[in-house]
Amino acid sequence: MGVVGDRIGPVRSRDRFLHGETFDSTEGDVRSPILSSWERCRLLGLSPDRSDLPFTQDFDADGPLVRAAAPVLDRLQSIFAGSRMNICLADGHGVVLERRFGDKALPRHLAPIQTVPGFVFAEQVAGTNGIGLTLAERGLVQVYGAEHFAERSQSSACTAIPVRDQLSGHIEGVLCLGYPYTDADPALVPLVRRAAEAVERRLMEQSSARERGLLQAYLEAGFRAAANGTEPRDGSPLAMAELLQSELDQSDRSLLKERATELMSSARRAATEVPLSHGRSVTLVSRPVTSSSGVEGIVIEALIPEDTERHAPAPAHAHADAAPRPPAPAPGMVRGLVLVGEPEVGRYAVAARRRLELLAEAGNRIGTTLDVDRTAWELAETAVPRLADFVTIDMPEAVLRGEESPNPTAEMRRTVVHGIREDCPFYPVGSQVTLHPTTPHMRCMTTGQPVLEPDLKAALGWIAQDPAHAELLLAHNVHSLITVPLLSRGVLLGIACFYRSQDPAPYGDDDRALARELAARAALCIDNARRYTREHTLALSLQHSLLPRGLPEQDAVEVAHRYLPAETGVGGDWFDVIPLSGTRVALLVGDVVGHGLHAAATMGRLRTAARNFAELELAPDELLTHLDNLMVRLDREEGGDLPGAASTGIVGATCLYAIYDPTSRQCTLARAGHPPPALVLPDGSVSLLDLPAGPPLGLGGLPFESAEITLPVHSQLVLYTDGLIEDRHRDIDTALEQLHRALSHPDRAPEDTCRAVLDAVAPEHPGDDIALLVARTNALPADRIAAWDLDADPALVGRVRAAAMEQLDRWGLEESSFATELLLSELVTNAVRYGSAPIRVRLILDRTLICEVHDASNSAPRMRHAASTDEGGRGLFLVAQLAQAWGTRYTTGGKVIWAECALDAA
């Protein structure tokens, strides 16, 4: 804080401020309320050395506030007897009503403005001080030494608190304790709180006394009327009220009180019929009454049929204008008192009930989705028009992306503008909002507390932000503002601003409390949406990074694919296209159970494993068995089988794996709990392949079966995940019928088929991921395949080699003949020497030249580095040097050793 001479407080910061420097409260030298007050004083053009304050004699020195506070002030004076304490009571405009002093001789040493009632200490004329700042901040404040704007107050300190009407919440006045800063004591805060509460209770007792006077006047008027014969005397209204309460259940009594309160708040003669349960009804009437002390109020009576069980219900209606005088009780009717009081009290009760109703409604309307923008709109839609005529919401761009903003005040963007009409000139949605330190928006963000500006015409900080824009809003009768921070879990998500224009009454503290409660509920929902957006974005990025970024080059099939993430959460759907040896291709789709980052990560592990297993040339059923074992291990690693460990809930996945061979047009498929693929034949017929279902991956130990079919050229094989056909708003048979219709166009290219399927079958709002893979089959021409069968006789190797060279000449691959001859010789020789008959040699001309040698042995060849003294062992090493790729795959009748050579190999 810093102390200079006899002054205490942020002296250096105040001097810097008065010399024109600008800084914000985040620097820590000046408290935010004090700095905001200094900014307002500078905008008002106040001078710190000015000593004269406005004085008025137009104040009520014996009003309700003074009468309620008198005993409390007496008590405070006795507590501080002999001290230098200055006890002050001011009204809601900052006018001092009464002063008391601990030392009775103290006034002789003080200036008149510190001793005489009638001086005005409102902030706009007196600068930063206890009374003015309390009215501006609408709460307890303490001001020390140099925190005062005026030079005259630099050596003093004060603690001030507002005094409110407990019914309306309006600030009726300020109780302020002034003292030398050396006498500061933490105990003053609880003391001044108790004193203010005592004054508020006494104000409430005055209201109760007025109501008792109204009740007495009502009863006396009733007895006089009964004595004159104008009213029946069979039972007093109070007795009938007790009878009424005993006969009605709780819901009827609540409804009757609610309607009676509304009737009282209207402050007019009126009548309304209230339907109750069990076919009963009661007529409520209101009549004015004046107490002996001159207090004017309203009495609400119920006209009750003597036999309420037989009284037929009637529709509720109010006819205040049509019936200026309430009806007298008809024969067979009795009357009972429901409420008596002042209309203003009724209005407060109605307003309080409506605030509770709005909060209850907000719980149902705000947070229906996990979308940040939509949740902000729901807050605005809930508040208009019951709390505000216009609502604007500004949020940092980072929050809209699902992140936390490191500097929210610098990147605010208008997110919502909503109101009773569209012509009000607020900054439009999408525009960047720059906030000055003097604005209530910035004060709200830096303090984390709502800021109320009852009169925008006097809100100089708000006007200084953009005077021309402020003038436009004022011209549209926008006159009162509440700004509330959207805070959740310590994170500032933005600010919500509530504006009033239709209702001439300014916002009050009850409105501010309601706005804060609404904003708090909305902020929690917005934060949930933000966190979900962040996780969804991360999962989606991970999902896309793990899916194929491009399709491999191959001629076996023409492929198109689509991936659509779910609206409510990224899942674990994936697809893949894997080229295999011998011009074959593997097609794969799968779906991991669950959603979110874990499902996406599990999908990535499965897809990687599937590619690795595919490289081993495993059959579809064998590959699914290995994936099943992997899922079981993954589940155990996540804690499913560990005592006391929490499982992630991932229990499996579904998968469909197909291998297509364009040389034979054979397709081998197996599935693990996955929807069967659709087959579109060249004639346009569509069918779902009848494959053995197989259990989902992760159950462990259950067998999988493969099925083999021959596909005509240019057939379309359509693989998909269940998100395409399963939707809670649609029957699955309907979805399959839509799929059949969308596929019954065999002349379409795979890209067009993907587009047509998604347009016709995919749900409008997918609840699950959708992976779609369409493959149109090709066949390798017979003239690009050459095959020879031979026995296990070394003498036949030369014949096969010569026949292969002749075939290469026919294909125009003379330049590749030397390398191919050497490579083929080694493969055939190994098969004859180490394999078993029958032996088959095949050459395939595709993007590369493929050499295959099949034999009936299951023994696996191994490549090794032969020593210089070894006579053999160099064959496979030579094959690996000549070929760009080589390997082994196993078949039901043995194995195939294959090698691929580039077509330009010399």
Side-chain angles (χ1 to χ4, degrees):
M1 298 282 276
V3 178
V4 177
D6 63 345
R7 295 191 295 168
I8 186 172
V11 178
R12 297 183 183 89
S13 297
R14 180 176 180 275
D15 291 340
R16 288 167 49 202
F17 179 86
L18 293 178
H19 282 84
E21 291 189 36
T22 58
F23 53 93
D24 57 54
S25 59
T26 58
E27 296 179 10
D29 293 337
V30 186
R31 292 184 291 146
S32 178
I34 301 297
L35 180 58
S36 298
S37 179
W38 287 358
E39 294 282 1
R40 293 192 294 271
C41 293
R42 178 153 61 185
L43 289 172
L44 288 164
L46 299 180
S47 173
D49 57 1
R50 180 180 175 182
S51 59
D52 56 325
L53 292 179
F55 177 81
T56 179
Q57 294 180 333
D58 186 18
F59 64 91
D60 192 352
D62 192 31
L65 178 60
V66 175
R67 293 197 303 271
V72 179
L73 297 179
D74 291 341
R75 176 61 178 162
L76 289 174
Q77 187 174 17
S78 66
I79 291 174
F80 295 111
S83 71
R84 293 180 290 177
M85 183 66 70
N86 184 340
I87 307 162
C88 175
L89 178 69
D91 66 12
H93 302 287
V95 179
V96 175
L97 303 179
E98 189 167 348
R99 287 190 180 274
R100 304 289 182 88
F101 302 93
D103 184 351
K104 294 183 179 181
L106 189 59
R108 294 197 298 268
H109 306 287
L110 298 177
I113 61 172
Q114 295 177 287
T115 59
V116 180
F119 282 98
V120 181
F121 280 83
E123 185 185 69
Q124 57 265 34
V125 293
T128 307
N129 69 92
I131 295 174
L133 191 56
T134 297
L135 293 174
E137 295 293 326
R138 308 182 74 82
L140 186 143
V141 300
Q142 291 183 291
V143 184
Y144 300 97
E147 290 182 331
H148 289 87
F149 190 76
E151 292 285 354
R152 63 175 176 272
S153 303
Q154 299 296 292
S155 62
S156 63
C158 61
T159 301
I161 189 172
V163 177
R164 289 184 167 86
D165 184 329
Q166 293 183 349
L167 284 175
S168 65
H170 295 162
I171 293 178
E172 299 293 332
V174 176
L175 181 62
C176 180
L177 303 181
Y179 43 88
Y181 69 82
T182 54
D183 293 348
D185 189 336
L188 290 176
V189 172
L191 177 65
V192 77
R193 287 189 188 278
R194 291 194 299 269
E197 290 169 359
V199 178
E200 291 171 352
R201 284 196 302 271
R202 291 181 58 80
L203 281 172
M204 190 66 183
E205 289 171 0
Q206 292 181 20
S207 177
S208 301
R210 292 197 299 271
E211 287 191 357
R212 288 195 296 271
L214 291 173
L215 176 60
Q216 185 63 33
Y218 163 72
L219 294 176
E220 291 176 355
F223 289 140
R224 286 196 299 271
N228 296 332
T230 58
E231 291 282 355
R233 298 196 58 171
D234 50 345
S236 71
L238 290 180
M240 295 312 301
E242 294 178 0
L243 176 63
L244 178 67
Q245 293 293 321
S246 64
E247 287 187 354
L248 300 180
D249 58 27
Q250 180 62 40
S251 61
D252 284 345
R253 290 198 297 269
S254 298
L255 178 60
L256 209 59
K257 288 279 188 176
E258 178 182 329
R259 296 292 179 83
T261 303
E262 294 175 353
L263 205 57
M264 176 186 291
S265 65
S266 67
R268 298 178 299 173
R269 289 179 177 269
T272 184
E273 194 165 6
V274 183
L276 304 177
S277 59
H278 308 297
R280 299 175 295 180
S281 67
V282 169
T283 300
L284 294 179
V285 297
S286 63
R287 63 177 66 182
V289 63
T290 303
S291 70
S292 59
S293 61
V295 176
E296 296 181 352
I298 296 290
V299 169
I300 309 298
E301 294 178 314
L303 302 182
I304 314 160
E306 289 183 339
D307 186 1
T308 57
E309 296 295 332
R310 295 195 302 269
H311 189 74
H317 61 280
H319 42 89
D321 297 331
R325 295 182 61 85
M333 301 281 285
V334 294
R335 63 186 176 90
L337 178 65
V338 179
L339 283 179
V340 60
E342 298 175 77
E344 195 69 18
V345 176
R347 294 191 187 98
Y348 298 150
V350 171
R353 188 185 73 248
R354 289 175 179 169
R355 285 193 292 269
L356 291 175
E357 291 173 350
L358 182 58
L359 289 176
E361 182 181 337
N364 296 324
R365 293 186 60 180
I366 301 176
T368 59
T369 67
L370 287 172
D371 181 83
V372 174
D373 284 311
R374 181 59 204 159
T375 305
W377 268 104
E378 288 169 346
L379 169 60
E381 290 170 342
T382 301
V384 175
R386 296 164 67 177
L387 173 63
D389 297 314
F390 298 97
V391 174
T392 65
I393 298 177
D394 305 323
M395 289 192 286
E397 294 182 4
V399 172
L400 300 176
R401 298 192 303 265
E403 305 166 5
E404 293 184 14
S405 174
N407 186 16
T409 60
E411 58 169 9
M412 279 292 178
R413 190 163 293 278
R414 180 59 46 88
T415 307
V416 173
V417 177
H418 182 58
I420 56 176
R421 60 182 189 271
E422 298 181 358
D423 63 341
C424 209
F426 290 99
Y427 295 133
V429 171
S431 60
Q432 188 167 2
V433 179
T434 303
L435 300 176
H436 293 180
T438 59
T439 61
H441 309 72
M442 185 63 79
R443 290 162 54 198
C444 159
M445 295 176 67
T446 55
T447 63
Q449 297 296 324
V451 175
L452 168 60
E453 291 286 359
D455 184 5
L456 287 178
K457 292 181 180 179
L460 297 181
W462 175 77
I463 295 174
Q465 166 81 8
D466 188 343
H469 182 253
E471 190 66 28
L472 284 174
L473 291 176
L474 292 173
H476 282 73
N477 296 322
V478 175
H479 62 82
S480 194
L481 165 67
I482 299 173
T483 61
V484 189
L486 297 173
L487 282 169
S488 180
R489 303 179 178 97
V491 178
L492 179 62
L493 305 172
I495 52 174
C497 301
F498 303 87
Y499 294 88
R500 178 170 285 178
S501 66
Q502 295 283 84
D503 189 345
Y507 278 128
D509 289 321
D510 287 341
D511 300 308
R512 181 175 61 173
L514 176 59
R516 175 167 52 190
E517 182 64 26
L518 282 177
R521 297 187 182 198
L524 182 61
C525 297
I526 290 173
D527 193 42
N528 291 336
R530 178 190 65 83
R531 289 166 177 256
Y532 168 78
T533 300
R534 179 183 60 187
E535 181 176 338
H536 181 78
T537 302
L538 289 174
L540 189 59
S541 299
L542 176 62
Q543 179 87 331
H544 280 298
S545 69
L546 296 175
L547 289 173
R549 297 189 178 183
L551 296 179
E553 294 183 354
Q554 47 81 34
D555 295 326
V557 290
E558 299 174 41
V559 180
H561 60 86
R562 293 290 188 276
Y563 170 75
L564 293 181
E567 286 190 355
T568 56
V570 176
D573 292 17
W574 87 95
F575 63 89
D576 214 341
V577 178
I578 308 171
L580 301 177
S581 65
T583 71
R584 299 172 307 141
V585 66
L587 306 174
L588 176 68
V589 291
D591 183 3
V592 174
V593 175
H595 290 83
L597 284 172
H598 194 277
T602 304
M603 176 275 289
R605 300 172 76 175
L606 275 181
R607 177 175 176 256
T608 301
R611 291 189 68 90
N612 291 334
F613 293 146
E615 292 290 335
L616 297 176
E617 304 280 0
L618 298 177
D621 55 339
E622 295 178 5
L623 183 139
L624 293 183
T625 299
H626 284 283
L627 290 180
D628 181 54
N629 293 333
L630 174 64
M631 282 299 297
V632 172
R633 290 195 298 271
L634 289 179
D635 196 39
R636 289 174 179 171
E637 289 174 7
E638 296 297 337
D641 288 351
L642 301 178
S647 176
T648 61
I650 296 293
V651 295
T654 65
C655 184
L656 173 63
Y657 186 71
I659 297 177
Y660 175 69
D661 187 347
T663 64
S664 63
R665 295 184 287 108
Q666 295 293 313
C667 185
T668 307
L669 308 96
R671 65 187 179 117
H674 201 83
L679 176 63
V680 184
L681 296 178
D683 62 4
S685 59
V686 181
S687 62
L688 295 180
L689 295 182
D690 186 15
L691 304 179
L697 301 177
L699 298 183
L702 298 176
F704 299 96
E705 297 182 52
S706 294
E708 188 172 290
I709 59 173
T710 301
L711 299 180
V713 178
H714 294 164
S715 299
Q716 288 195 9
L717 195 61
V718 181
L719 290 68
Y720 53 88
T721 54
D722 57 6
L724 178 67
I725 58 175
E726 293 184 2
D727 181 39
R728 60 182 178 179
H729 302 296
R730 177 183 58 181
D731 184 76
I732 190 171
D733 293 332
T734 303
L736 290 175
E737 182 180 348
Q738 294 171 342
L739 179 62
H740 275 71
R741 286 199 301 267
L743 292 176
S744 58
H745 299 276
D747 55 335
R748 280 195 300 228
E751 278 290 338
D752 297 331
T753 300
C754 280
R755 189 180 304 110
V757 167
L758 291 183
D759 291 343
V761 187
E764 184 177 356
H765 302 285
D768 195 6
D769 289 16
I770 297 175
L772 176 65
L773 187 66
V774 177
R776 182 163 65 180
T777 62
N778 296 321
L780 196 66
D783 61 358
R784 295 172 64 179
I785 304 173
W788 302 272
D789 295 321
L790 67 155
D791 296 326
D793 184 356
L796 301 177
V797 174
R799 298 180 185 178
V800 171
R801 188 167 60 234
M805 295 305 101
E806 293 177 2
Q807 183 63 51
L808 291 181
D809 290 342
R810 285 193 291 271
W811 284 339
L813 299 178
E814 296 86 353
E815 294 182 359
S816 302
S817 59
F818 176 77
T820 304
E821 181 181 10
L822 185 57
L823 184 150
L824 189 62
S825 178
E826 290 294 335
L827 292 179
V828 175
T829 300
N830 280 343
V832 170
R833 180 176 299 179
Y834 302 110
S836 57
I839 297 173
R840 182 176 178 83
V841 179
R842 189 168 69 160
L843 290 181
I844 302 173
L845 178 59
D846 191 46
R847 293 175 179 268
T848 60
L849 179 63
I850 303 171
C851 304
E852 293 183 346
V853 177
H854 173 274
D855 71 87
S857 171
N858 288 323
S859 60
R862 293 183 302 159
M863 184 177 66
R864 62 187 181 87
H865 290 279
S868 59
T869 57
D870 291 343
E871 295 184 359
R874 297 177 178 85
L876 289 181
F877 180 79
L878 182 60
V879 169
Q881 296 300 310
L882 294 174
Q884 68 178 20
W886 75 281
T888 304
R889 70 173 183 268
Y890 293 91
T891 66
T892 55
K895 69 177 182 296
V896 175
I897 301 178
W898 57 269
E900 292 184 5
C901 294
L903 296 181
D904 58 352

